[in-house]
Amino acid sequence: MELIYEISKPGRVGYTVKKFDRETEIKIPQKMLRKTEPDLPEVPENEVVRHFVKLSTLNHHVDKGFYPLGSCTMKYNPKVNEYTSGLSGFTHIHPFQPEYTVQGALKLMKELEDLLAEISGMDYVSLQPAAGAHGEYTGIKIIRKYHETNGDPRKFILVPDSAHGTNPASTTLSGYQAITIKSGPDGRIDIEDLKKHLNEDVAGFMVTNPNTLGIFENRIREIADLVHRAGALIYMDGANLNAFMGHIRPGDIGCDVMHFNLHKTFSTPHGGGGPGSGPVGVKKSLEPYLPIPRIVEKDGKYRFDYDKPLSIGKIHSFYGNFLVLIRAYTYIRMLGKEHLKKVSENAVINANYLREKLMYHYELPYTSTCMHEFVLSGKTFKKYGVRTLDIAKRILDFGMHAPTVYFPLIVSEALMIEPTETETKETLDKFAEVMLKIKEEAETNPDILKTAPHTTPVKRLDDTLAAKLAKVRYSKA
Ligand SMILES: *Cc1c(COP(=O)(O)O)cnc(C)c1O
């Protein structure tokens, strides 16, 4: 596809604006005005529209097709979210405005905090963190502050071997050392290994529930008791909240701190590197450590409270990614309690339906009934010279996004599939058909997989080179 500069022709302007007299009408100081005209493309309006509509279809996105990217909860984003987050009362305000002029925005934020607290069973929520990983960092800082206040920050955070890479990363960034806890043969936390590592130097245990294999940690209460008895806290990675929202509340099963990925569980688009939001919820005893400012309400008036001497401080400019908060708020209010519950029921049913259709054709390393996602292994295809990466690339030829691959790390040649609740039976059947066809191809014509994709705007890219080039660019800048 051509660049917009390549379709530009001098004089083909797509806009009309009043001519300004540089000397008298423009209020910008002369010395700050540019000396030469900017080199802008000149394209008529209809061609501009066509250009960008075409561009928007080159990439895969959830509005274009199935997107079963495990761990990421790529659900459909209702368009009403875009309507509300685009209302001028929200988009035309500025964080420096006095509080009394932005009461509606503060009210929305406070109500969202309360809704998330109710959904999770946590007592207080801060909306500041910008994504899940940032929420983890905030949560571990809170755990550290709690222990420091009690006289000893401790040294270690325990993290299961199935955890997302952000877990040990946030642990390290918060000044702790991560210690890996093994998973048992059923894919759940090995409690004996956990017991072995629990001692008075352990500050906390990070648990993802359901874990990244899509399996519910059904001994979570027992785990929480063990961890609490050692004087440590439970951090819950809430990225998989879509699996049980409305049915189980992390706060009721022993979790002390958790994050929400608003951009996963509560729609709001993600995947293109756009802004996310990773609020953190805590139990009552940890409230003093939450980031400042807190939003407080008295007699229907809202204000920011900075007077929290034990707070870990500020962790984001202003108050978080506000427009993402509006989308999540809209999503929750549109669905209400009953339908939020249905969301997770349908997410689980869809995942189990697909799992059942695929498990006789692809290896399923952990056989427990799954929650909202499941993990297959492509290792049986090695004998045809085909890797999971080849399967993933071939899926793109059928107009679908590939599942997450090579994660979790404890499954070799992993394919992590999460269909989400919003997909129809027909879409799930179509995906299963594609997966069976690919299996057949692997057996009879592996080259078609190894050279895939064939129908996408760009063919197979060299990921390693791309990463290296990006580094060169950054280091030059
Ligand atoms: C997505 C995810 C994270 C990180 O969340 P981001 O919002 O991408 O920073 C952490 N843990 C798990 C299990 C996840 O799926």
Short mmCIF file of all heavy atoms in Angstrom, two decimals, residues 200-245:
data_model
loop_
_atom_site.label_atom_id
_atom_site.label_comp_id
_atom_site.label_asym_id
_atom_site.label_seq_id
_atom_site.Cartn_x
_atom_site.Cartn_y
_atom_site.Cartn_z
N GLU A 200 9.97 -16.45 57.50
CA GLU A 200 9.76 -15.06 57.96
C GLU A 200 10.42 -14.01 57.06
O GLU A 200 10.28 -12.82 57.29
CB GLU A 200 10.17 -14.88 59.43
CG GLU A 200 11.64 -15.05 59.75
CD GLU A 200 12.05 -16.52 59.90
OE1 GLU A 200 11.26 -17.43 59.59
OE2 GLU A 200 13.18 -16.74 60.35
N ASP A 201 11.13 -14.46 56.01
CA ASP A 201 11.69 -13.51 55.04
C ASP A 201 10.78 -13.31 53.83
O ASP A 201 11.07 -12.51 52.95
CB ASP A 201 13.06 -14.00 54.56
CG ASP A 201 14.16 -13.68 55.57
OD1 ASP A 201 13.99 -12.67 56.31
OD2 ASP A 201 15.14 -14.44 55.65
N VAL A 202 9.69 -14.07 53.78
CA VAL A 202 8.78 -13.96 52.64
C VAL A 202 7.76 -12.84 52.90
O VAL A 202 7.06 -12.85 53.90
CB VAL A 202 8.05 -15.30 52.38
CG1 VAL A 202 6.96 -15.14 51.33
CG2 VAL A 202 9.06 -16.36 51.95
N ALA A 203 7.71 -11.89 51.95
CA ALA A 203 6.79 -10.75 52.11
C ALA A 203 5.42 -11.05 51.52
O ALA A 203 4.41 -10.54 52.00
CB ALA A 203 7.39 -9.52 51.42
N GLY A 204 5.39 -11.86 50.48
CA GLY A 204 4.10 -12.13 49.85
C GLY A 204 4.17 -13.25 48.84
O GLY A 204 5.24 -13.72 48.46
N PHE A 205 2.97 -13.68 48.43
CA PHE A 205 2.84 -14.71 47.41
C PHE A 205 1.94 -14.17 46.32
O PHE A 205 0.85 -13.69 46.59
CB PHE A 205 2.24 -15.98 48.05
CG PHE A 205 2.08 -17.13 47.09
CD1 PHE A 205 3.10 -17.48 46.21
CD2 PHE A 205 0.91 -17.88 47.07
CE1 PHE A 205 2.95 -18.55 45.33
CE2 PHE A 205 0.76 -18.95 46.21
CZ PHE A 205 1.78 -19.29 45.33
N MET A 206 2.42 -14.23 45.07
CA MET A 206 1.61 -13.72 43.96
C MET A 206 0.90 -14.91 43.33
O MET A 206 1.56 -15.87 42.92
CB MET A 206 2.49 -13.08 42.89
CG MET A 206 3.03 -11.74 43.31
SD MET A 206 4.01 -10.99 41.99
CE MET A 206 2.83 -9.80 41.35
N VAL A 207 -0.41 -14.82 43.25
CA VAL A 207 -1.14 -15.94 42.66
C VAL A 207 -2.05 -15.42 41.55
O VAL A 207 -2.63 -14.35 41.67
CB VAL A 207 -1.90 -16.72 43.77
CG1 VAL A 207 -2.78 -15.82 44.58
CG2 VAL A 207 -2.70 -17.86 43.19
N THR A 208 -2.10 -16.16 40.47
CA THR A 208 -3.00 -15.83 39.37
C THR A 208 -4.11 -16.87 39.40
O THR A 208 -3.81 -18.07 39.37
CB THR A 208 -2.26 -15.89 38.02
OG1 THR A 208 -1.09 -15.08 38.11
CG2 THR A 208 -3.13 -15.40 36.88
N ASN A 209 -5.34 -16.42 39.51
CA ASN A 209 -6.43 -17.38 39.64
C ASN A 209 -7.62 -16.99 38.78
O ASN A 209 -8.13 -15.89 38.94
CB ASN A 209 -6.86 -17.49 41.10
CG ASN A 209 -7.50 -18.84 41.41
OD1 ASN A 209 -7.50 -19.73 40.57
ND2 ASN A 209 -8.05 -18.95 42.59
N PRO A 210 -8.10 -17.86 37.87
CA PRO A 210 -7.45 -19.10 37.47
C PRO A 210 -6.06 -18.81 36.93
O PRO A 210 -5.80 -17.73 36.42
CB PRO A 210 -8.37 -19.64 36.36
CG PRO A 210 -9.21 -18.49 35.93
CD PRO A 210 -9.31 -17.58 37.09
N ASN A 211 -5.19 -19.81 37.03
CA ASN A 211 -3.81 -19.58 36.62
C ASN A 211 -3.70 -19.52 35.09
O ASN A 211 -4.70 -19.64 34.38
CB ASN A 211 -2.89 -20.63 37.23
CG ASN A 211 -3.20 -22.04 36.74
OD1 ASN A 211 -3.64 -22.23 35.62
ND2 ASN A 211 -2.99 -23.02 37.60
N THR A 212 -2.51 -19.32 34.60
CA THR A 212 -2.36 -19.08 33.16
C THR A 212 -2.59 -20.34 32.32
O THR A 212 -2.59 -20.26 31.09
CB THR A 212 -0.96 -18.52 32.83
OG1 THR A 212 0.00 -19.51 33.21
CG2 THR A 212 -0.68 -17.24 33.58
N LEU A 213 -2.82 -21.48 32.98
CA LEU A 213 -3.23 -22.67 32.23
C LEU A 213 -4.75 -22.71 32.10
O LEU A 213 -5.31 -23.62 31.51
CB LEU A 213 -2.75 -23.93 32.94
CG LEU A 213 -1.23 -24.12 33.02
CD1 LEU A 213 -0.87 -25.16 34.08
CD2 LEU A 213 -0.68 -24.55 31.67
N GLY A 214 -5.41 -21.70 32.71
CA GLY A 214 -6.87 -21.66 32.69
C GLY A 214 -7.48 -22.58 33.73
O GLY A 214 -8.65 -22.95 33.65
N ILE A 215 -6.66 -22.97 34.72
CA ILE A 215 -7.13 -23.90 35.75
C ILE A 215 -7.33 -23.16 37.08
O ILE A 215 -6.46 -22.38 37.49
CB ILE A 215 -6.14 -25.06 35.93
CG1 ILE A 215 -6.01 -25.83 34.61
CG2 ILE A 215 -6.57 -25.99 37.06
CD1 ILE A 215 -4.92 -26.89 34.62
N PHE A 216 -8.46 -23.40 37.71
CA PHE A 216 -8.75 -22.72 38.97
C PHE A 216 -7.91 -23.30 40.10
O PHE A 216 -7.81 -24.52 40.26
CB PHE A 216 -10.24 -22.85 39.30
CG PHE A 216 -10.67 -21.90 40.39
CD1 PHE A 216 -10.83 -20.55 40.11
CD2 PHE A 216 -10.88 -22.35 41.68
CE1 PHE A 216 -11.21 -19.66 41.10
CE2 PHE A 216 -11.26 -21.46 42.68
CZ PHE A 216 -11.42 -20.12 42.40
N GLU A 217 -7.30 -22.43 40.89
CA GLU A 217 -6.51 -22.85 42.06
C GLU A 217 -7.51 -23.12 43.18
O GLU A 217 -7.84 -22.24 43.97
CB GLU A 217 -5.53 -21.75 42.48
CG GLU A 217 -4.47 -21.42 41.46
CD GLU A 217 -3.39 -22.50 41.32
OE1 GLU A 217 -3.42 -23.49 42.08
OE2 GLU A 217 -2.51 -22.34 40.44
N ASN A 218 -8.02 -24.34 43.22
CA ASN A 218 -9.14 -24.62 44.14
C ASN A 218 -8.71 -24.74 45.61
O ASN A 218 -9.54 -24.80 46.49
CB ASN A 218 -9.94 -25.84 43.68
CG ASN A 218 -9.04 -27.01 43.37
OD1 ASN A 218 -7.85 -26.97 43.69
ND2 ASN A 218 -9.59 -28.05 42.77
N ARG A 219 -7.40 -24.73 45.87
CA ARG A 219 -6.96 -24.76 47.27
C ARG A 219 -6.50 -23.38 47.73
O ARG A 219 -5.68 -23.25 48.63
CB ARG A 219 -5.85 -25.81 47.44
CG ARG A 219 -6.40 -27.22 47.22
CD ARG A 219 -5.29 -28.24 47.17
NE ARG A 219 -4.73 -28.54 48.49
CZ ARG A 219 -3.70 -29.38 48.68
NH1 ARG A 219 -3.14 -30.00 47.65
NH2 ARG A 219 -3.24 -29.60 49.90
N ILE A 220 -7.07 -22.36 47.12
CA ILE A 220 -6.62 -20.99 47.38
C ILE A 220 -6.79 -20.57 48.85
O ILE A 220 -5.93 -19.89 49.42
CB ILE A 220 -7.32 -19.97 46.42
CG1 ILE A 220 -6.83 -18.55 46.64
CG2 ILE A 220 -8.81 -20.03 46.49
CD1 ILE A 220 -5.41 -18.30 46.23
N ARG A 221 -7.87 -21.04 49.50
CA ARG A 221 -8.06 -20.67 50.91
C ARG A 221 -6.96 -21.26 51.79
O ARG A 221 -6.44 -20.60 52.69
CB ARG A 221 -9.41 -21.19 51.41
CG ARG A 221 -10.56 -20.30 51.08
CD ARG A 221 -11.82 -20.95 51.65
NE ARG A 221 -13.01 -20.43 51.02
CZ ARG A 221 -13.66 -19.36 51.45
NH1 ARG A 221 -13.23 -18.69 52.50
NH2 ARG A 221 -14.75 -18.95 50.84
N GLU A 222 -6.65 -22.52 51.51
CA GLU A 222 -5.61 -23.20 52.26
C GLU A 222 -4.27 -22.49 52.03
O GLU A 222 -3.49 -22.27 52.97
CB GLU A 222 -5.55 -24.64 51.73
CG GLU A 222 -4.76 -25.60 52.52
CD GLU A 222 -4.72 -26.96 51.80
OE1 GLU A 222 -5.62 -27.26 50.99
OE2 GLU A 222 -3.75 -27.71 52.05
N ILE A 223 -4.02 -22.13 50.77
CA ILE A 223 -2.79 -21.42 50.42
C ILE A 223 -2.74 -20.09 51.18
O ILE A 223 -1.73 -19.72 51.79
CB ILE A 223 -2.73 -21.18 48.89
CG1 ILE A 223 -2.50 -22.51 48.17
CG2 ILE A 223 -1.66 -20.16 48.53
CD1 ILE A 223 -2.65 -22.45 46.66
N ALA A 224 -3.87 -19.36 51.18
CA ALA A 224 -3.92 -18.06 51.85
C ALA A 224 -3.65 -18.22 53.34
O ALA A 224 -2.91 -17.43 53.95
CB ALA A 224 -5.27 -17.39 51.61
N ASP A 225 -4.21 -19.26 53.94
CA ASP A 225 -3.98 -19.50 55.37
C ASP A 225 -2.51 -19.72 55.66
O ASP A 225 -1.95 -19.17 56.61
CB ASP A 225 -4.78 -20.72 55.86
CG ASP A 225 -6.25 -20.38 56.02
OD1 ASP A 225 -6.57 -19.17 56.03
OD2 ASP A 225 -7.07 -21.32 56.12
N LEU A 226 -1.88 -20.56 54.83
CA LEU A 226 -0.45 -20.85 55.02
C LEU A 226 0.38 -19.57 54.92
O LEU A 226 1.25 -19.30 55.75
CB LEU A 226 0.03 -21.82 53.93
CG LEU A 226 -0.34 -23.29 54.09
CD1 LEU A 226 -0.03 -24.06 52.80
CD2 LEU A 226 0.43 -23.89 55.26
N VAL A 227 0.08 -18.79 53.89
CA VAL A 227 0.85 -17.57 53.64
C VAL A 227 0.63 -16.57 54.78
O VAL A 227 1.58 -15.97 55.29
CB VAL A 227 0.44 -16.97 52.26
CG1 VAL A 227 1.02 -15.58 52.07
CG2 VAL A 227 0.88 -17.90 51.14
N HIS A 228 -0.61 -16.42 55.21
CA HIS A 228 -0.90 -15.48 56.29
C HIS A 228 -0.25 -15.91 57.60
O HIS A 228 0.22 -15.08 58.38
CB HIS A 228 -2.42 -15.33 56.48
CG HIS A 228 -3.05 -14.57 55.35
ND1 HIS A 228 -4.34 -14.80 54.92
CD2 HIS A 228 -2.57 -13.59 54.55
CE1 HIS A 228 -4.62 -13.98 53.91
NE2 HIS A 228 -3.55 -13.24 53.67
N ARG A 229 -0.21 -17.22 57.83
CA ARG A 229 0.41 -17.73 59.06
C ARG A 229 1.91 -17.38 59.09
O ARG A 229 2.47 -17.18 60.17
CB ARG A 229 0.19 -19.23 59.20
CG ARG A 229 -0.54 -19.56 60.51
CD ARG A 229 -0.85 -21.03 60.64
NE ARG A 229 -2.03 -21.39 59.87
CZ ARG A 229 -2.17 -22.53 59.19
NH1 ARG A 229 -1.21 -23.44 59.18
NH2 ARG A 229 -3.28 -22.80 58.54
N ALA A 230 2.49 -17.27 57.90
CA ALA A 230 3.92 -16.89 57.84
C ALA A 230 4.09 -15.37 57.90
O ALA A 230 5.20 -14.85 57.73
CB ALA A 230 4.54 -17.45 56.57
N GLY A 231 2.99 -14.65 58.09
CA GLY A 231 3.06 -13.19 58.20
C GLY A 231 3.18 -12.51 56.85
O GLY A 231 3.45 -11.32 56.76
N ALA A 232 2.97 -13.26 55.76
CA ALA A 232 3.07 -12.69 54.41
C ALA A 232 1.67 -12.40 53.86
O ALA A 232 0.67 -12.81 54.45
CB ALA A 232 3.82 -13.65 53.50
N LEU A 233 1.62 -11.69 52.74
CA LEU A 233 0.35 -11.29 52.15
C LEU A 233 0.14 -11.98 50.80
O LEU A 233 1.10 -12.39 50.15
CB LEU A 233 0.30 -9.77 51.95
CG LEU A 233 0.42 -8.93 53.24
CD1 LEU A 233 0.45 -7.45 52.90
CD2 LEU A 233 -0.74 -9.22 54.18
N ILE A 234 -1.13 -12.08 50.40
CA ILE A 234 -1.45 -12.67 49.10
C ILE A 234 -1.73 -11.56 48.09
O ILE A 234 -2.60 -10.71 48.32
CB ILE A 234 -2.71 -13.56 49.18
CG1 ILE A 234 -2.49 -14.75 50.10
CG2 ILE A 234 -3.15 -13.99 47.79
CD1 ILE A 234 -1.93 -15.97 49.44
N TYR A 235 -0.95 -11.56 47.00
CA TYR A 235 -1.23 -10.66 45.89
C TYR A 235 -1.95 -11.48 44.82
O TYR A 235 -1.45 -12.52 44.41
CB TYR A 235 0.06 -10.09 45.28
CG TYR A 235 -0.25 -9.13 44.16
CD1 TYR A 235 -0.38 -7.78 44.42
CD2 TYR A 235 -0.51 -9.58 42.87
CE1 TYR A 235 -0.74 -6.89 43.41
CE2 TYR A 235 -0.88 -8.70 41.86
CZ TYR A 235 -0.99 -7.36 42.15
OH TYR A 235 -1.37 -6.49 41.15
N MET A 236 -3.09 -11.01 44.37
CA MET A 236 -3.72 -11.73 43.27
C MET A 236 -3.60 -10.96 41.96
O MET A 236 -4.01 -9.81 41.87
CB MET A 236 -5.18 -12.05 43.52
CG MET A 236 -5.62 -13.07 42.46
SD MET A 236 -7.30 -13.61 42.54
CE MET A 236 -7.96 -12.71 41.14
N ASP A 237 -3.02 -11.64 40.97
CA ASP A 237 -2.99 -11.12 39.61
C ASP A 237 -4.39 -11.32 39.05
O ASP A 237 -4.83 -12.45 38.83
CB ASP A 237 -1.94 -11.91 38.82
CG ASP A 237 -1.82 -11.45 37.37
OD1 ASP A 237 -2.83 -11.01 36.80
OD2 ASP A 237 -0.71 -11.56 36.82
N GLY A 238 -5.11 -10.23 38.85
CA GLY A 238 -6.52 -10.32 38.45
C GLY A 238 -6.77 -10.32 36.96
O GLY A 238 -7.90 -10.10 36.52
N ALA A 239 -5.72 -10.61 36.18
CA ALA A 239 -5.88 -10.58 34.71
C ALA A 239 -6.94 -11.56 34.24
O ALA A 239 -7.52 -11.38 33.18
CB ALA A 239 -4.55 -10.86 34.03
N ASN A 240 -7.20 -12.60 35.03
CA ASN A 240 -8.15 -13.62 34.60
C ASN A 240 -9.51 -13.50 35.29
O ASN A 240 -10.26 -14.47 35.36
CB ASN A 240 -7.55 -15.01 34.83
CG ASN A 240 -6.36 -15.25 33.91
OD1 ASN A 240 -6.21 -14.56 32.90
ND2 ASN A 240 -5.51 -16.20 34.26
N LEU A 241 -9.82 -12.31 35.75
CA LEU A 241 -11.09 -12.07 36.44
C LEU A 241 -12.29 -12.42 35.55
O LEU A 241 -13.37 -12.75 36.05
CB LEU A 241 -11.15 -10.59 36.86
CG LEU A 241 -12.32 -10.13 37.71
CD1 LEU A 241 -12.39 -10.88 39.03
CD2 LEU A 241 -12.21 -8.63 37.99
N ASN A 242 -12.11 -12.37 34.24
CA ASN A 242 -13.21 -12.67 33.33
C ASN A 242 -13.74 -14.09 33.53
O ASN A 242 -14.84 -14.40 33.10
CB ASN A 242 -12.74 -12.51 31.88
CG ASN A 242 -13.87 -12.07 30.96
OD1 ASN A 242 -14.60 -11.15 31.31
ND2 ASN A 242 -14.02 -12.72 29.83
N ALA A 243 -12.95 -14.93 34.18
CA ALA A 243 -13.35 -16.33 34.34
C ALA A 243 -14.38 -16.53 35.46
O ALA A 243 -15.08 -17.54 35.47
CB ALA A 243 -12.12 -17.18 34.62
N PHE A 244 -14.45 -15.61 36.41
CA PHE A 244 -15.35 -15.90 37.55
C PHE A 244 -16.04 -14.67 38.13
O PHE A 244 -16.66 -14.75 39.18
CB PHE A 244 -14.60 -16.65 38.66
CG PHE A 244 -13.43 -15.88 39.22
CD1 PHE A 244 -13.65 -14.85 40.12
CD2 PHE A 244 -12.13 -16.21 38.88
CE1 PHE A 244 -12.58 -14.14 40.66
CE2 PHE A 244 -11.06 -15.51 39.41
CZ PHE A 244 -11.29 -14.47 40.30
N MET A 245 -15.98 -13.58 37.43
CA MET A 245 -16.59 -12.35 37.93
C MET A 245 -18.08 -12.59 38.23
O MET A 245 -18.79 -13.21 37.45
CB MET A 245 -16.33 -11.31 36.85
CG MET A 245 -17.31 -10.25 36.65
SD MET A 245 -16.60 -9.08 35.47
CE MET A 245 -16.90 -9.89 33.90
#
